[in-house]
Amino acid sequence: MMSEDAGQMLVMYDDPSDQRSLSLDETSSTEESPDEARLSLETTADSVPYIGQRFATHDAAYEFYSEYAKRCGFSIRRHRTEGKDGVGKGLTRRYFVCHRAGNTPVKTLNDSKPQRNRKSSRCGCQAYLRISKVTDLGPAEWRVTGFVNHHNHELLEPNQVRFLPAYRTISDADKNRILMFAKTGISVQQMMRLMELEKCVEPGYLPFTEKDVRNLLQSFRKSDQEDESIDLLRMCRNNKDKDPNFKFEYTLDSNNRLDNIAWSYASSVQSYEIYGDAVVFDTTHRLTVFDMPLGIWVGVNNYGMPCFFGCVLLREENSRSFSWALKAFLGFMNGKAPQTILTDQNMYLKEAIAIEMPSTKHALCIWMIVAKFPSWFNAVLGERYNEWKAEFYRLYNLESIEDFELGWRDMVDFFGLHTNRHIANLFALRTLWALPYLRSHFFAGMTTTGHSKAINSFIQRFLSAQTRLAQFVEQVAVAVDFKDQAAEQQTMQQNLQNICLKTGAPMESHAASVLTPFAFSKLQEQLVLAAHYASFQMDDGFLVRHHTKLEGGRKVYWVPREGIISCSCHQFEFSGILCRHALRVLSTGNCFQIPDRYLPLRWRRISTSPAKLHQSSSSDHMERIQLFQSMVSTLVTESAKSKERLDIATEQVSILLSRIREQPVASQGARDISPIHRNL
């Protein structure tokens, strides 16, 4: 305790934030309690500071007190120095204080600068160690002349104190190791796990944290950021010189340094022409070494495989940056916006999409939301977490908006989540993620868990090369090489090619000849299930329900003359695959082929986009012929539906045939066609 005749208040500070809080009394310390000092000596064998303790230098005293503090559960900092009261006399007294000494100064608000809302750890703790320089009895030395060990806060446990900044250090050897890991492109989390294994320490027991590693990489990045930007722009310009159809856009900041950059490849633009109806814009990744937000546009092709549309690197993550990114993307894609776009729960991005893509339906990736559930609800729900998660998925998959909202209210009541902010936020955003609100929009099946894993795996292909930005661009180019994807498509087609027909229905064999194996497998599931449903004709359509049900069901509207059919479940609108209810009505109505409009082009056996027809390479010649054959087949089917259609088709095809015969046959084309003639 401080003595009643407390001495002077210290007014000289190294840190101005301490001026209002720490009062150190030169006479109120263990200096006045010799018994207590002797007790410390007897019981702790010099492990506790005591009055009269000697040190050769003030740094040695600091190290001793720091080790003592670490054992006790706090850290220290240098506080006040005294001396310099004569030329050459130097320091004569030093104070070392608890890291929680002093109080946080009141900052003057500056409207032009954003304020960081960080809670201070300072609480006016009075613990300190005072040392004084003594030169009377020979060589100069430092002695402890004051020591107070009373803290006004709880001390940390040994497994917690190591996280204090004073005890977190990265050795030079560890720094070199971290930078080496960064050049291989692995994440900070992976770096930590590897170093724990190398040092044989338990997880979380390294002398530094993930934040320290990120700060180190941040400083490393700043050292050569300008050179990186120059290399990246040079790489993009070289790509543009090699391929005029390569696209990139960038912005510079006020210091003429690279701010944002986006790019896309010719093959990506071509793919987007046919598969750009539904897009995932994944902004959850960052380049480890450069700590830059990374945005990746991805879709799904007709074989159910991810396809790359574009990439963007941003300096800042805000509405302005995202708006720029979306404008650049639309510019690459000739102004064509997707029908739907899936993103992470980012309010900046939500605002930007509303402005730049007003006609596009924006939704949130459910798998990105679900990934956060353990941290949101595990502690809150405990053993009931899995039960709640099952109920969440049930509500998510409902068809009726009314059923969803009633069920959500019951779920909140049952699990006692009325005051949970995450539950409130999810409900406020329900129109962006819950299927009852999204079923009338096309998402190409990308809301499923299977597709989420495939897309994430695809993205991981090119997240590995992060040594330099230019190398990252090269790695993306390799990862999205469409020749590799074509080979994967061929493998997938071979694996699924032998899917046997299960129903024997003409509709099934017709669909199998038109759709890719991936799309046909989805339709076949519905055809098999359709046999379990009964249809009842009503005045305004058909009621279709499971044969075991006596009420409920789906409403199907069918206009045979126009070839139009729709169902209240909206599965076709959502996935591009007809539902079991519509297929049941078609079967009941003696329809032996699925109407052409319900076998959409994006799910047909066309392994490349129509834009690629302009290329003349022999490698895609057969694909172009297959596309043309499909178009001719569709032309015949549509023309045969009426005399008027047939007359128009006959007249136009005659004109087209005459024009084609006038065109010369190129030697390359002759070489490509000759094998086909030999096989006829």
Side-chain angles (χ1 to χ4, degrees):
M1 296 292 293
M2 291 288 183
S3 63
E4 293 182 1
D5 55 341
Q8 60 183 355
M9 174 79 75
L10 292 179
V11 293
M12 295 178 60
Y13 294 83
D14 291 336
D15 187 339
S17 66
D18 295 333
Q19 293 182 7
R20 292 171 302 281
S21 59
L22 185 61
S23 176
L24 304 180
D25 184 358
E26 296 183 7
T27 62
S28 59
S29 66
T30 52
E31 187 176 19
E32 295 187 349
S33 306
D35 294 336
E36 186 177 341
R38 283 195 298 273
L39 179 62
S40 297
L41 283 169
E42 293 169 1
T43 58
T44 60
D46 283 5
S47 63
V48 179
Y50 58 90
I51 301 303
Q53 189 174 9
R54 300 176 180 183
F55 299 95
T57 65
H58 58 80
D59 286 334
Y62 177 84
E63 292 299 326
F64 175 85
Y65 190 32
S66 179
E67 286 299 317
Y68 167 75
K70 187 175 183 180
R71 292 194 302 272
C72 292
F74 67 102
S75 66
I76 64 170
R77 69 175 188 273
R78 292 178 173 87
H79 177 60
R80 178 193 171 194
T81 63
E82 292 179 350
K84 301 183 181 178
D85 51 352
V87 178
K89 291 193 175 182
L91 300 179
T92 59
R93 185 176 296 172
R94 296 215 65 158
Y95 288 85
F96 307 130
V97 299
C98 174
H99 72 288
R100 301 194 66 177
N103 290 311
T104 305
V106 178
K107 295 182 179 179
T108 56
L109 296 179
N110 188 337
D111 295 335
S112 63
K113 293 184 179 180
Q115 300 297 316
R116 300 181 67 181
N117 185 22
R118 294 189 300 180
K119 186 177 180 181
S120 173
S121 64
R122 299 192 179 185
C123 61
C125 181
Q126 297 286 320
Y128 75 95
L129 178 77
R130 183 179 68 237
I131 58 175
S132 300
K133 191 173 184 179
V134 178
T135 58
D136 298 340
L137 303 176
E141 63 180 11
W142 293 83
R143 294 182 185 176
V144 175
T145 57
F147 174 49
V148 170
N149 199 32
H150 301 293
H151 298 264
N152 65 350
H153 56 89
E154 292 186 3
L155 300 180
L156 300 177
E157 296 294 329
N159 64 336
Q160 296 174 319
V161 71
R162 59 195 174 85
F163 291 116
L164 290 174
Y167 305 125
R168 300 200 318 250
T169 57
I170 305 180
S171 67
D172 290 340
D174 288 341
K175 287 179 182 178
N176 292 333
R177 195 80 175 138
I178 289 167
L179 294 181
M180 187 274 288
F181 283 144
K183 291 179 180 180
T184 67
I186 67 174
S187 68
V188 173
Q189 270 189 331
Q190 291 170 323
M191 293 180 198
M192 299 291 285
R193 299 296 85 80
L194 284 172
M195 297 187 77
E196 286 166 353
L197 291 172
E198 290 177 351
K199 294 176 179 293
C200 298
V201 300
E202 293 186 17
Y205 275 78
L206 288 172
F208 48 85
T209 65
E210 287 188 17
K211 182 179 179 182
D212 299 323
V213 174
R214 295 185 194 281
N215 289 339
L216 175 66
L217 294 176
Q218 175 88 359
S219 62
F220 168 68
R221 180 177 71 253
K222 287 179 179 178
S223 64
D224 62 348
Q225 196 173 71
E226 190 168 344
D227 290 341
E228 283 293 316
S229 300
I230 294 171
D231 289 345
L232 177 58
L233 288 175
R234 184 184 296 118
M235 170 64 69
C236 288
R237 291 189 178 109
N238 289 342
N239 284 347
K240 186 72 173 177
D241 292 339
K242 295 175 185 176
D243 180 7
N245 292 317
F246 175 79
K247 297 177 182 288
F248 76 102
E249 292 286 345
Y250 65 93
T251 62
L252 303 176
D253 63 16
S254 57
N255 295 317
N256 209 36
R257 292 177 301 189
L258 184 66
D259 200 23
N260 306 309
I261 186 166
W263 68 93
S264 184
Y265 306 94
S267 53
S268 298
V269 177
Q270 293 163 3
S271 182
Y272 183 84
E273 280 294 315
I274 191 167
Y275 307 124
D277 41 16
V279 173
V280 171
F281 186 28
D282 189 339
T283 58
T284 60
H285 303 280
R286 302 178 81 88
L287 289 192
T288 305
V289 177
F290 299 93
D291 196 31
M292 294 180 71
L294 171 68
I296 304 166
W297 287 278
V298 184
V300 171
N301 66 14
N302 53 340
Y303 285 83
M305 298 175 60
C307 51
F308 176 88
F309 294 143
C311 207
V312 63
L313 284 168
L314 304 173
R315 183 62 55 197
E316 300 291 340
E317 196 169 338
N318 52 41
S319 298
R320 182 185 62 82
S321 295
F322 282 131
S323 288
W324 179 88
L326 295 174
K327 285 179 182 177
F329 179 73
L330 290 176
F332 297 160
M333 304 306 168
N334 303 310
K336 178 184 175 182
Q339 296 176 27
T340 56
I341 187 168
L342 287 160
T343 73
D344 187 22
Q345 189 175 336
N346 186 307
M347 291 303 103
Y348 293 131
L349 185 53
K350 181 176 181 292
E351 293 173 7
I353 291 173
I355 295 171
E356 307 301 337
M357 297 179 174
S359 62
T360 298
K361 175 60 180 177
H362 177 212
L364 302 179
C365 294
I366 187 62
W367 68 81
M368 295 183 187
I369 294 175
V370 171
K372 301 170 185 174
F373 280 179
S375 61
W376 286 356
F377 300 115
N378 243 333
V380 176
L381 294 166
E383 294 180 352
R384 305 182 72 192
Y385 172 73
N386 289 332
E387 181 186 0
W388 171 84
K389 193 173 180 180
E391 176 63 8
F392 172 86
Y393 274 120
R394 187 189 73 81
L395 296 175
Y396 167 74
N397 285 292
L398 289 174
E399 293 178 6
S400 163
I401 291 176
E402 182 181 0
D403 289 345
F404 173 84
E405 296 193 349
L406 289 174
W408 188 272
R409 184 182 63 190
D410 292 341
M411 179 266 289
V412 171
D413 290 339
F414 184 73
F415 290 95
L417 297 171
H418 301 87
T419 59
N420 187 279
R421 62 185 180 90
H422 297 300
I423 286 291
N425 191 38
L426 282 172
F427 188 71
L429 297 172
R430 63 192 181 281
T431 59
L432 296 178
W433 60 264
L435 291 188
Y437 301 91
L438 302 176
R439 290 190 183 278
S440 59
H441 301 276
F442 180 72
F443 286 96
M446 290 192 294
T447 58
T448 64
T449 303
H451 271 304
S452 72
K453 291 179 179 178
I455 290 172
N456 187 61
S457 176
F458 177 71
I459 291 173
Q460 293 302 322
R461 288 185 186 182
F462 47 84
L463 284 181
S464 59
Q466 299 185 29
T467 308
R468 304 188 68 81
L469 287 177
Q471 290 177 344
F472 176 71
V473 175
E474 288 179 337
Q475 183 71 7
V476 173
V478 171
V480 301
D481 189 304
F482 275 66
K483 291 181 181 178
D484 290 345
Q485 289 196 36
E488 291 180 9
Q489 291 175 1
Q490 186 176 5
T491 301
M492 177 179 285
Q493 187 169 2
Q494 290 172 350
N495 292 339
L496 298 175
Q497 192 82 312
N498 298 323
I499 293 179
C500 61
L501 302 182
K502 297 180 179 179
T503 68
M507 277 194 296
E508 184 183 18
S509 58
H510 173 237
S513 67
V514 176
L515 300 176
T516 63
F518 168 80
F520 172 68
S521 67
K522 302 297 182 183
L523 182 68
Q524 188 180 54
E525 292 175 7
Q526 298 300 314
L527 279 167
V528 171
L529 292 171
H532 297 267
Y533 285 75
S535 65
F536 307 92
Q537 188 162 7
M538 315 288 285
D539 293 338
D540 57 346
F542 292 82
L543 180 65
V544 180
R545 62 173 172 239
H546 197 271
H547 72 95
T548 62
K549 305 291 183 180
L550 298 178
E551 56 184 27
R554 308 297 190 280
K555 201 68 176 291
V556 176
Y557 302 91
W558 183 34
V559 185
R561 184 177 300 176
E562 300 295 332
I564 296 175
I565 191 166
S566 64
C567 179
S568 59
C569 77
H570 296 295
Q571 177 169 303
F572 179 77
E573 291 84 351
F574 186 66
S575 66
I577 303 295
L578 274 181
C579 63
R580 65 200 76 171
H581 319 108
L583 291 169
R584 178 59 181 167
V585 170
L586 289 175
S587 178
T588 303
N590 299 321
C591 184
F592 300 108
Q593 286 192 356
I594 295 174
D596 195 63
R597 70 177 65 190
Y598 298 107
L599 298 172
L601 183 65
R602 70 131 35 246
W603 292 134
R604 295 195 180 198
R605 291 174 178 265
I606 304 167
S607 58
T608 187
S609 68
K612 207 167 183 177
L613 290 175
H614 298 295
Q615 298 182 5
S616 59
S617 63
S618 59
S619 62
D620 69 335
H621 188 74
M622 287 301 298
E623 292 180 356
R624 294 163 62 193
I625 291 177
Q626 291 174 3
L627 173 61
F628 183 64
Q629 288 174 337
S630 176
M631 294 170 65
V632 171
S633 176
T634 302
L635 176 65
V636 172
T637 301
E638 291 295 322
S639 301
K641 291 182 178 179
S642 70
K643 180 180 180 300
E644 291 77 14
R645 287 188 176 189
L646 188 59
D647 290 343
I648 294 173
T650 303
E651 179 184 356
Q652 294 298 320
V653 170
S654 297
I655 296 172
L656 179 61
L657 186 58
S658 298
R659 291 183 57 190
I660 291 174
R661 284 172 174 165
E662 293 173 358
Q663 300 298 314
V665 178
S667 57
Q668 178 64 42
R671 288 197 299 271
D672 290 339
I673 294 173
S674 56
I676 299 175
H677 283 301
R678 287 196 296 270
N679 292 329
L680 291 177

